[in-house]
Amino acid sequence: MAKLKVGIIGGSGYGGGELLRILLFHPRVDLRLVTAHQQAGRRVDEVHPNLRHLTDLRFAETTISEEFDELDCLFLALPHGESMTLVPELPDGVKLIDLAGDYRLQDAETFARYYGRPHASFHLQSQFVYGLPELNRERIGRAQRVANPGCFATAALLGTAPLIARGLIEGTVIVDAKTGSSGSGAKPTMNTHHPRRANSFFAYKAFSHQHRPEIVQTLRAVNPEWSERLILQTHSAPMVRGIFATIYGRLGRRLVWEDLRDLFQEFYADCFFVRLVEGSPDVNWVKQTNFADIGWAVDGQDVIVFVAIDNLVKGAAGQAVQNMNLMFGLEEQMGLVFPGSHP
Amino acid sequence: MAKLKVGIIGGSGYGGGELLRILLFHPRVDLRLVTAHQQAGRRVDEVHPNLRHLTDLRFAETTISEEFDELDCLFLALPHGESMTLVPELPDGVKLIDLAGDYRLQDAETFARYYGRPHASFHLQSQFVYGLPELNRERIGRAQRVANPGCFATAALLGTAPLIARGLIEGTVIVDAKTGSSGSGAKPTMNTHHPRRANSFFAYKAFSHQHRPEIVQTLRAVNPEWSERLILQTHSAPMVRGIFATIYGRLGRRLVWEDLRDLFQEFYADCFFVRLVEGSPDVNWVKQTNFADIGWAVDGQDVIVFVAIDNLVKGAAGQAVQNMNLMFGLEEQMGLVFPGSHP
Amino acid sequence: MAKLKVGIIGGSGYGGGELLRILLFHPRVDLRLVTAHQQAGRRVDEVHPNLRHLTDLRFAETTISEEFDELDCLFLALPHGESMTLVPELPDGVKLIDLAGDYRLQDAETFARYYGRPHASFHLQSQFVYGLPELNRERIGRAQRVANPGCFATAALLGTAPLIARGLIEGTVIVDAKTGSSGSGAKPTMNTHHPRRANSFFAYKAFSHQHRPEIVQTLRAVNPEWSERLILQTHSAPMVRGIFATIYGRLGRRLVWEDLRDLFQEFYADCFFVRLVEGSPDVNWVKQTNFADIGWAVDGQDVIVFVAIDNLVKGAAGQAVQNMNLMFGLEEQMGLVFPGSHP
Amino acid sequence: MAKLKVGIIGGSGYGGGELLRILLFHPRVDLRLVTAHQQAGRRVDEVHPNLRHLTDLRFAETTISEEFDELDCLFLALPHGESMTLVPELPDGVKLIDLAGDYRLQDAETFARYYGRPHASFHLQSQFVYGLPELNRERIGRAQRVANPGCFATAALLGTAPLIARGLIEGTVIVDAKTGSSGSGAKPTMNTHHPRRANSFFAYKAFSHQHRPEIVQTLRAVNPEWSERLILQTHSAPMVRGIFATIYGRLGRRLVWEDLRDLFQEFYADCFFVRLVEGSPDVNWVKQTNFADIGWAVDGQDVIVFVAIDNLVKGAAGQAVQNMNLMFGLEEQMGLVFPGSHP
């Protein structure tokens, strides 16, 4: 069968690096183009030495050329705020998957507030389908352009959607989320300086994380009657990979553990990448994979849901490839069925 | 001035090791006795090589002897459930500080439920004062016996007490707490096996952690009118030392950041070991110290309080020495004014 | 094409877990049997939760049954000393790959000295070919039974063999090797207790590591005229995966960096899994892969060679599968061409 | 007794931060002045939050003022190459301890080669005594200016000096040294980026580390007849603090473990900070302390010496304070007798 001709815009960061790690081995992908502004001309495996002996690609400039017209699919793995100036210039015929936050929010004001700048091409936002396959599989299958979810949003949504969909939660939902250092990107900063980070734990962006409106907007789509508040508090943990979300909610009525098991099983019946676990999930078991492990506990009307994902795979590049598979009618898990390691 | 004659029962674990690290340098302490059942006869610095060249002590058997009568103060650093059989045999004249949970809870049934066994000497519980100096300084000063708080309880109480005391919180309080691996003690287990723990994050003891009733009981003492629920969810983070607690509450009315600053400043005016910070605290800045760093964020009526402590110091051995200081009329911070390291 | 029917004896440890992680996705392997003495009856993915949704296998008892006769290939991933009692009972027709040290050494006395026990079936040792494909590819291809190299031996041999083969080294060779905590196996011990290991570095087994005679024996086969001493000093580093070997030697004559580049390029011309790097390799770039990255530096007659491998893949399970591929005439890298991750 | 008036030039880095951590608690030190070029005007505890509640000092500009004349002692904790332009302007009456490499080497050409620039004030070098107290105690006691040793040099010298002094080593000495990430300083770089460093091990500066000539020069002073080569190979380990040096040598005659025990015991008889251990030392037991733990192994004529220190304490700031104590006739260990923590 013919392979898809695929390109990556912004291949030098961690999101782009993970896309490379996956797409180079995808049986239906022919990776034609990888750009990286500052690294243009360098071999890909100089920037990502984990790929030595696995690719001879070189980074191209992030300049739109005729080459783009021949592509079937383009991944954008740029810093937030860069896609929105680039997308208007991209050829219409190429399917797009944007890993940044530029086209996720359906409200321009909310975007401006949370991302700290006005949107440069908001008229195009409605062309983008929100790419969380477990909630949106069919629309993604028909989409020309997909806005890939944020990493915290993915974890929060997978944990809350079944409960919100069934109208089981009353009052505020609290998402206490913890991320590994790779979530801060490939550029060294004080917060990722090893001497400081290695025995560190701290919170950041209280009441202001840009994934909050994305979660709320999506839950409202899941259940238009849901109108409660949601609090997202993000933290930095001294691990490299993974997000762990602890989600607190108040049930409208008393339930037991098995009730929620049935609910989650039904809701995620066709979802290969969701694994339901007894007790707590652990980022150790999802690291470097596209799996989302979900557990929960109930005490009367109090429920806690636990979600573990890898921030760069199910929270970014893996999910983007899952979206590509759906957009091109391929098997959803193609190229994504690999385990993490035990230790 | 005369030194206090001090003993430690159970000196081979991490709590006992930290007591040694502090007490050996306390200007008013003469450490006479350190016991350790399995290590009896061995040099202390064989078990705690960080103490080489700093002590010639050997571990004694944990057997009560005449030597105990000559002590002024005895620290119990035993696994949960061992103090309650030992204390009835201890001489009355020696002041006691118990680092375990045996005498913290004022209700025998609650103890039995959370600690999974009946109490062996509950009639003695009322002799114990709850040893959180920032809340209980005066009673500790008069106490003959002190129950040293749990590590999670210390963090949760320091973060919530000012708000509960002023009656500012309505509805459920949620404490999402994360601990380092040293909280699991000195004995290797699967959850602290380095290959597994190093990139791991998981929750444990949902709705069932034994520090929850301790927190609730203390908050009720702080404000007898407070009768809301409190949820404590504990997590294991891949760091060695530290607890980070994120506490969610709903205010009865809208407040701003400065209101809480004033509240915390007033509440902790005389508390050397509480440091109020802008933004988030970080366990990196409290590790290996007796400090508790507290920050907060407010959004209308929603408040989040962040607390960082070292689980083994302010959450155990350091606080125990702080209690000793108070019980013997010494300066509260004596022997405890040491910084952690930057990196 | 027909798949090979494969079994694993001892699938609950880290070596077995890595075999599972690889063999479950090998295009020519049908994994029929996985045993684990203590875990018999349990689902494989309960012991290795990274494999959830990827296998329904259950552990069988480690008892030889008729089922064994139908297998094409059997991997032994048992603790040192167990293979030598099991192998005599195994059916002759099944090809064997033993990951333990039992059949690597060609001298019974050396075995007894370094492994601390007499050999139980030394008469079978000569049936085993030493399974380092980069040195021994052809003999492995004809072998019925393979002794898979030790992790330190793999690193040391890949770094030294080209120099020894050409007779370039005079005098003692020193191998200073550092390993991650996964090298200690799946069973928690004091040396892998996270609170202790996370900021720890120490040496162990001075002049007595069992991989030393294995290295010497193999280098003597590479160049029968080489008769110098070799010192192997092993260390525990606070990382999870990886071995880094720093190898010091004295050249018979002055060489420059490019001379060694030519030497290594020629020696490893057909070796997909050896990657030659400028400067130093880094375990970060080989972790979770079957690659061995090699760099070097020269100063007059002094040479230092650096080798980085993943102890569990190229140092154990990956190399075992590479051997299987050769033994069955498959493409050498089949099932092993996967990258590690960048962060 | 009167306190020494002390200043620190360059207090914002890790060396300066450790000096602050120690000097603020030194019983005979009055810390008058701390400068930091880029942080001038800021509170010290904003840059080093571990010092909150422990100092009200603010960073001054690194400008020489009258204030300097009143000081008794000045520590220079600047990047390599800055002291040599500053020192000529400093008042003669103030005793100096320079933590950088500027005045360690007695040969201007060697300095230029290893530090990559010509020396700006080499005529002052002879005023500096090399500040390794265990080798140089008396000269330090009479010194007006001290060049504090490099971290790798400290570890290498403490391990080799007893053997070299007695003329026991023949042939090349090899020092394989591993350092934690704090050795790279407080400024984030790619090599200390947590996602990359956390599971990383690599070598650097092969045959070119600037501590090599410092080690050789000092060993030649220890034993003017020693004229062999010394190879220093440095590595980055994924820990925060500590250096572990593995030192390989060939003895002139066969010795046993006890011979070396006697040698080391005699050589370090009066050295409080040297702790001799059986087996291997471990950086875990010296982290955050001024101790140097030394172990060794012998096999016929082959000897391996193991040294563990904290790079920032015995390898920098702690040793600098030890030098200050000697220069002012104080007890050598004053202000430095604190243990590290067990976990």
Side-chain angles (χ1 to χ4, degrees):
Chain A
M1 288 201 283
K3 291 194 170 187
L4 302 175
K5 300 181 202 83
V6 172
I8 299 171
I9 307 298
S12 61
Y14 286 163
E18 287 290 283
L19 280 172
L20 281 156
R21 184 171 78 92
I22 297 168
L23 292 172
L24 285 169
F25 298 91
H26 191 292
R28 293 289 301 280
V29 164
D30 176 14
L31 193 57
R32 291 288 184 92
L33 177 76
V34 191
T35 80
H37 185 58
Q38 293 191 316
Q39 314 286 354
R42 291 183 67 190
R43 287 181 58 93
V44 161
D45 62 3
E46 282 178 42
V47 175
H48 302 295
N50 56 314
L51 300 178
R52 282 193 292 234
H53 277 204
L54 300 171
T55 181
D56 288 317
L57 282 170
R58 285 178 183 274
F59 287 114
E61 265 291 354
T62 304
T63 319
I64 295 158
S65 64
E66 290 177 14
E67 221 178 331
F68 281 50
D69 294 317
E70 296 168 24
L71 297 175
D72 297 302
C73 184
L74 201 51
F75 291 88
L76 306 184
L78 296 164
H80 295 307
E82 298 194 10
S83 302
M84 65 187 181
T85 61
L86 186 68
V87 167
E89 306 178 39
L90 292 175
D92 283 342
V94 184
K95 293 193 181 185
L96 280 191
I97 300 164
D98 182 18
L99 278 74
D102 295 27
Y103 295 103
R104 293 179 199 148
L105 297 178
Q106 293 161 5
D107 183 75
E109 265 182 60
T110 304
F111 177 87
R113 177 149 35 104
Y114 278 90
Y115 286 87
R117 69 199 96 182
H119 203 294
S121 59
F122 191 73
H123 62 288
L124 300 177
Q125 195 281 327
S126 59
Q127 299 179 1
F128 283 79
V129 168
Y130 189 68
L132 192 59
E134 285 74 14
L135 300 184
N136 237 3
R137 190 174 285 115
E138 293 187 18
R139 293 191 58 221
I140 296 166
R142 298 189 301 268
Q144 187 72 3
R145 296 180 163 188
V146 160
N148 209 56
C151 53
F152 288 116
T154 298
L157 287 166
L158 291 174
T160 52
L163 293 157
I164 297 294
R166 300 300 187 263
L168 291 172
I169 299 289
E170 294 187 343
T172 304
V173 171
I174 291 175
V175 180
D176 186 283
K178 304 88 176 168
T179 185
S181 59
S182 62
S184 300
K187 201 177 153 194
T189 65
M190 192 54 80
N191 280 337
T192 54
H193 191 40
H194 185 271
R196 184 174 284 192
R197 181 64 174 255
N199 203 89
S200 160
F201 200 101
F202 57 94
Y204 65 99
K205 290 196 181 176
F207 298 115
S208 60
H209 198 285
Q210 68 276 10
H211 291 179
R212 201 193 75 86
E214 179 183 337
I215 299 165
V216 170
Q217 165 186 291
T218 307
L219 290 179
R220 298 246 155 99
V222 162
N223 183 346
E225 292 182 16
W226 181 75
S227 61
E228 296 288 352
R229 282 173 315 124
L230 181 139
I231 292 173
L232 169 66
Q233 179 59 55
T234 51
H235 302 78
S236 289
M239 57 197 175
V240 172
R241 298 181 75 118
I243 283 179
F244 192 94
T246 310
I247 302 167
Y248 301 88
R250 179 79 176 165
L251 298 166
R253 55 191 167 89
R254 301 174 67 88
L255 291 176
V256 296
W257 190 87
E258 288 77 9
D259 296 327
L260 289 183
R261 184 198 55 202
D262 295 346
L263 169 69
F264 278 104
Q265 280 183 348
E266 188 192 335
F267 197 88
Y268 291 123
D270 300 320
C271 297
F272 176 75
F273 292 113
V274 173
R275 304 189 296 196
L276 305 180
V277 306
E278 291 187 41
S280 172
D282 185 332
V283 298
N284 192 51
W285 306 127
V286 297
K287 65 178 192 286
Q288 296 164 336
T289 81
N290 202 47
F291 290 108
D293 284 4
I294 303 180
W296 55 90
V298 201
D299 182 34
Q301 287 179 253
D302 290 313
V303 62
I304 310 180
V305 181
F306 307 109
V307 184
I309 62 169
D310 184 303
N311 53 310
L312 295 177
V313 189
K314 184 59 181 166
Q319 185 146 269
V321 175
Q322 194 180 351
N323 281 318
M324 179 198 76
N325 288 340
L326 293 171
M327 292 164 81
F328 287 92
L330 305 176
E331 192 189 6
E332 184 174 343
Q333 56 256 52
M334 188 178 285
L336 293 166
V337 185
F338 45 80
S341 61
H342 179 136
Chain B
M1 288 204 283
K3 290 194 170 186
L4 302 175
K5 301 182 200 81
V6 171
I8 299 170
I9 308 296
S12 61
Y14 286 163
E18 287 291 283
L19 280 172
L20 282 157
R21 184 171 78 93
I22 296 168
L23 292 173
L24 285 170
F25 298 92
H26 192 290
R28 292 289 302 280
V29 165
D30 176 14
L31 194 57
R32 290 287 185 91
L33 178 75
V34 191
T35 80
H37 186 58
Q38 293 192 315
Q39 313 284 355
R42 290 183 68 192
R43 287 180 59 93
V44 161
D45 62 3
E46 282 178 42
V47 176
H48 302 295
N50 56 314
L51 299 179
R52 282 193 292 234
H53 277 205
L54 299 172
T55 182
D56 288 317
L57 282 170
R58 283 178 184 275
F59 286 114
E61 265 292 352
T62 304
T63 319
I64 294 158
S65 65
E66 291 177 12
E67 225 180 328
F68 281 50
D69 295 317
E70 296 167 25
L71 297 174
D72 297 304
C73 184
L74 204 49
F75 291 88
L76 307 183
L78 296 163
H80 294 309
E82 298 194 11
S83 301
M84 65 186 181
T85 61
L86 186 68
V87 167
E89 304 179 41
L90 292 176
D92 284 343
V94 184
K95 293 191 180 185
L96 281 190
I97 300 163
D98 183 17
L99 278 74
D102 294 26
Y103 295 104
R104 293 180 198 148
L105 297 178
Q106 293 161 5
D107 183 74
E109 266 182 60
T110 306
F111 177 87
R113 176 149 36 101
Y114 278 90
Y115 285 87
R117 69 199 97 181
H119 203 293
S121 58
F122 191 72
H123 61 289
L124 298 177
Q125 195 281 326
S126 60
Q127 298 180 1
F128 283 78
V129 168
Y130 189 68
L132 192 59
E134 285 75 13
L135 300 184
N136 237 1
R137 191 173 284 114
E138 292 186 19
R139 292 191 61 220
I140 295 166
R142 296 189 303 267
Q144 187 70 6
R145 296 180 162 190
V146 159
N148 209 55
C151 53
F152 288 117
T154 298
L157 286 166
L158 291 174
T160 53
L163 294 157
I164 298 294
R166 301 297 187 266
L168 292 172
I169 299 289
E170 294 187 344
T172 303
V173 171
I174 291 175
V175 180
D176 187 284
K178 305 89 177 169
T179 186
S181 59
S182 62
S184 301
K187 202 177 153 193
T189 65
M190 194 53 81
N191 280 338
T192 54
H193 191 40
H194 185 269
R196 183 175 285 193
R197 180 66 173 255
N199 204 88
S200 159
F201 200 101
F202 58 95
Y204 67 98
K205 290 197 182 175
F207 298 115
S208 60
H209 198 286
Q210 67 276 11
H211 290 178
R212 200 194 73 86
E214 179 184 336
I215 299 164
V216 169
Q217 166 185 290
T218 307
L219 290 178
R220 298 245 156 100
V222 162
N223 183 346
E225 292 182 17
W226 182 74
S227 60
E228 296 287 352
R229 283 174 312 126
L230 181 140
I231 292 172
L232 170 66
Q233 180 57 56
T234 50
H235 302 77
S236 288
M239 59 196 172
V240 173
R241 299 181 75 117
I243 283 179
F244 192 93
T246 311
I247 302 167
Y248 300 88
R250 180 77 175 165
L251 298 165
R253 57 193 165 87
R254 303 174 66 88
L255 291 176
V256 296
W257 191 87
E258 288 77 8
D259 297 327
L260 289 183
R261 183 197 57 199
D262 295 347
L263 169 70
F264 277 105
Q265 281 183 347
E266 189 192 334
F267 197 88
Y268 290 123
D270 301 320
C271 296
F272 176 75
F273 293 112
V274 173
R275 303 190 297 194
L276 305 180
V277 307
E278 291 186 41
S280 173
D282 184 332
V283 298
N284 192 50
W285 306 126
V286 297
K287 66 177 191 285
Q288 295 163 337
T289 81
N290 201 49
F291 290 108
D293 284 4
I294 303 180
W296 56 89
V298 201
D299 183 33
Q301 287 178 253
D302 291 314
V303 61
I304 310 179
V305 181
F306 308 109
V307 184
I309 62 169
D310 185 302
N311 53 310
L312 295 178
V313 189
K314 184 60 181 167
Q319 186 145 268
V321 174
Q322 193 180 353
N323 282 318
M324 181 197 75
N325 288 341
L326 293 171
M327 291 164 81
F328 287 92
L330 304 176
E331 194 189 3
E332 186 173 343
Q333 56 257 52
M334 187 178 284
L336 293 166
V337 185
F338 46 80
S341 61
H342 180 136
Chain C
M1 288 203 284
K3 291 194 169 187
L4 303 174
K5 300 182 202 81
V6 172
I8 300 170
I9 307 296
S12 62
Y14 286 164
E18 288 290 284
L19 280 172
L20 282 157
R21 184 170 80 91
I22 296 168
L23 292 173
L24 285 170
F25 298 91
H26 192 290
R28 293 289 301 279
V29 164
D30 175 15
L31 193 56
R32 289 289 184 95
L33 177 76
V34 191
T35 80
H37 185 58
Q38 293 192 316
Q39 314 285 355
R42 291 183 68 192
R43 288 180 58 94
V44 161
D45 62 3
E46 282 178 42
V47 175
H48 302 296
N50 57 313
L51 299 178
R52 282 194 292 235
H53 277 205
L54 299 172
T55 181
D56 288 316
L57 282 169
R58 285 179 183 276
F59 286 114
E61 264 294 353
T62 304
T63 320
I64 295 157
S65 65
E66 291 177 12
E67 225 178 328
F68 282 51
D69 295 316
E70 297 167 25
L71 297 174
D72 297 302
C73 184
L74 202 50
F75 291 88
L76 307 183
L78 296 164
H80 294 308
E82 297 194 11
S83 301
M84 64 186 180
T85 61
L86 187 68
V87 166
E89 305 179 40
L90 291 176
D92 284 343
V94 184
K95 294 192 179 184
L96 280 190
I97 300 163
D98 183 18
L99 279 73
D102 295 27
Y103 294 104
R104 294 178 198 148
L105 297 177
Q106 293 162 4
D107 182 75
E109 264 182 63
T110 305
F111 177 87
R113 176 150 36 104
Y114 278 89
Y115 287 87
R117 70 200 97 182
H119 203 294
S121 57
F122 191 72
H123 61 288
L124 300 177
Q125 196 281 327
S126 60
Q127 300 180 1
F128 284 79
V129 169
Y130 189 68
L132 192 59
E134 285 74 14
L135 301 184
N136 239 0
R137 190 173 285 114
E138 292 186 20
R139 293 190 59 222
I140 296 167
R142 297 189 301 268
Q144 187 71 5
R145 296 181 163 188
V146 160
N148 210 55
C151 52
F152 288 117
T154 298
L157 287 166
L158 291 175
T160 52
L163 293 156
I164 298 294
R166 301 295 186 267
L168 292 172
I169 299 289
E170 294 188 342
T172 304
V173 171
I174 291 175
V175 180
D176 186 284
K178 305 88 178 169
T179 184
S181 59
S182 62
S184 301
K187 202 177 154 195
T189 64
M190 193 53 80
N191 280 339
T192 54
H193 190 41
H194 185 271
R196 183 174 286 191
R197 181 67 174 253
N199 203 92
S200 161
F201 200 100
F202 57 94
Y204 66 100
K205 290 195 181 176
F207 298 114
S208 60
H209 198 286
Q210 68 275 10
H211 291 178
R212 202 194 74 88
E214 178 183 340
I215 299 165
V216 170
Q217 164 186 291
T218 308
L219 290 178
R220 298 246 156 99
V222 162
N223 182 345
E225 294 182 16
W226 181 75
S227 61
E228 298 287 350
R229 283 175 312 125
L230 180 138
I231 292 173
L232 169 65
Q233 179 57 56
T234 50
H235 302 78
S236 289
M239 59 196 174
V240 173
R241 299 180 77 117
I243 283 179
F244 191 95
T246 311
I247 302 166
Y248 301 88
R250 180 78 176 163
L251 298 166
R253 54 192 166 91
R254 301 173 68 88
L255 292 176
V256 296
W257 190 87
E258 288 75 10
D259 296 327
L260 289 183
R261 183 197 57 201
D262 295 347
L263 169 69
F264 278 104
Q265 280 182 348
E266 188 192 335
F267 196 88
Y268 291 124
D270 301 320
C271 297
F272 176 75
F273 292 113
V274 173
R275 305 189 296 196
L276 305 179
V277 307
E278 292 187 38
S280 173
D282 185 332
V283 297
N284 191 53
W285 305 127
V286 296
K287 65 176 192 286
Q288 297 163 335
T289 82
N290 201 49
F291 290 109
D293 284 5
I294 302 180
W296 56 89
V298 201
D299 182 35
Q301 286 178 256
D302 291 312
V303 62
I304 309 179
V305 181
F306 308 108
V307 184
I309 62 168
D310 185 303
N311 53 310
L312 295 177
V313 189
K314 184 60 180 167
Q319 186 145 267
V321 174
Q322 194 180 350
N323 282 317
M324 180 198 76
N325 288 340
L326 293 171
M327 292 163 81
F328 287 92
L330 305 176
E331 191 190 6
E332 185 174 344
Q333 57 255 55
M334 188 178 286
L336 292 166
V337 185
F338 45 82
S341 61
H342 179 137
Chain D
M1 288 204 282
K3 290 192 169 187
L4 302 174
K5 300 182 202 83
V6 171
I8 299 169
I9 307 297
S12 61
Y14 286 164
E18 288 290 283
L19 280 173
L20 282 158
R21 185 171 78 92
I22 296 168
L23 292 172
L24 285 170
F25 298 91
H26 192 291
R28 293 289 301 280
V29 165
D30 176 14
L31 193 57
R32 290 288 184 90
L33 177 76
V34 191
T35 79
H37 185 57
Q38 293 191 317
Q39 312 286 354
R42 290 184 69 191
R43 287 181 58 92
V44 161
D45 62 3
E46 282 178 42
V47 174
H48 302 296
N50 57 314
L51 299 178
R52 281 194 293 234
H53 277 204
L54 299 172
T55 181
D56 288 317
L57 282 170
R58 283 177 184 277
F59 286 114
E61 264 292 352
T62 303
T63 320
I64 294 159
S65 65
E66 292 177 12
E67 224 179 329
F68 280 50
D69 295 316
E70 297 167 24
L71 296 175
D72 297 304
C73 184
L74 203 49
F75 291 89
L76 306 183
L78 296 163
H80 294 309
E82 298 195 9
S83 301
M84 65 186 181
T85 60
L86 186 68
V87 166
E89 305 179 39
L90 291 176
D92 283 343
V94 185
K95 293 192 180 184
L96 280 191
I97 300 163
D98 183 17
L99 279 74
D102 295 26
Y103 295 103
R104 293 180 199 148
L105 297 178
Q106 292 161 5
D107 183 75
E109 265 183 59
T110 306
F111 177 87
R113 176 151 34 103
Y114 277 89
Y115 287 87
R117 71 199 95 183
H119 202 293
S121 58
F122 190 72
H123 61 288
L124 299 178
Q125 196 280 328
S126 60
Q127 299 179 2
F128 283 79
V129 169
Y130 189 67
L132 193 59
E134 285 74 14
L135 299 185
N136 238 2
R137 190 174 286 116
E138 293 186 18
R139 290 190 61 222
I140 296 167
R142 296 189 303 267
Q144 187 72 5
R145 296 181 162 186
V146 160
N148 210 55
C151 52
F152 288 116
T154 298
L157 287 166
L158 291 174
T160 53
L163 293 157
I164 298 295
R166 300 298 185 265
L168 293 172
I169 299 288
E170 293 187 344
T172 304
V173 172
I174 291 175
V175 180
D176 186 284
K178 306 88 177 170
T179 185
S181 59
S182 62
S184 300
K187 201 177 154 193
T189 64
M190 193 53 81
N191 279 338
T192 54
H193 191 39
H194 184 270
R196 182 174 286 192
R197 180 66 174 254
N199 203 90
S200 160
F201 201 101
F202 58 94
Y204 66 99
K205 290 193 180 177
F207 297 114
S208 59
H209 198 285
Q210 68 275 12
H211 290 180
R212 201 192 74 87
E214 179 184 336
I215 299 166
V216 171
Q217 166 186 290
T218 307
L219 289 178
R220 300 245 155 101
V222 162
N223 183 346
E225 293 181 16
W226 181 75
S227 61
E228 296 287 350
R229 281 173 315 123
L230 182 138
I231 292 173
L232 169 66
Q233 179 59 54
T234 51
H235 302 78
S236 289
M239 59 197 173
V240 172
R241 298 181 77 117
I243 282 178
F244 192 95
T246 310
I247 301 166
Y248 301 87
R250 180 78 175 163
L251 298 165
R253 54 191 168 89
R254 302 174 67 87
L255 292 176
V256 295
W257 191 88
E258 288 76 8
D259 297 326
L260 289 184
R261 184 197 56 199
D262 295 346
L263 169 69
F264 278 105
Q265 280 183 348
E266 189 192 334
F267 197 86
Y268 290 125
D270 300 319
C271 297
F272 176 77
F273 292 113
V274 173
R275 304 189 298 195
L276 305 179
V277 306
E278 290 186 42
S280 173
D282 184 331
V283 297
N284 192 50
W285 306 126
V286 297
K287 66 176 191 289
Q288 296 164 336
T289 81
N290 202 49
F291 290 109
D293 284 4
I294 303 180
W296 57 90
V298 202
D299 183 33
Q301 287 179 256
D302 290 314
V303 62
I304 310 179
V305 182
F306 308 109
V307 184
I309 61 168
D310 184 305
N311 53 312
L312 295 178
V313 188
K314 184 60 181 168
Q319 185 145 271
V321 174
Q322 193 180 351
N323 281 318
M324 179 197 77
N325 288 341
L326 293 171
M327 292 164 81
F328 287 93
L330 304 176
E331 193 190 3
E332 185 173 344
Q333 57 257 53
M334 189 177 284
L336 293 166
V337 185
F338 45 81
S341 61
H342 179 136

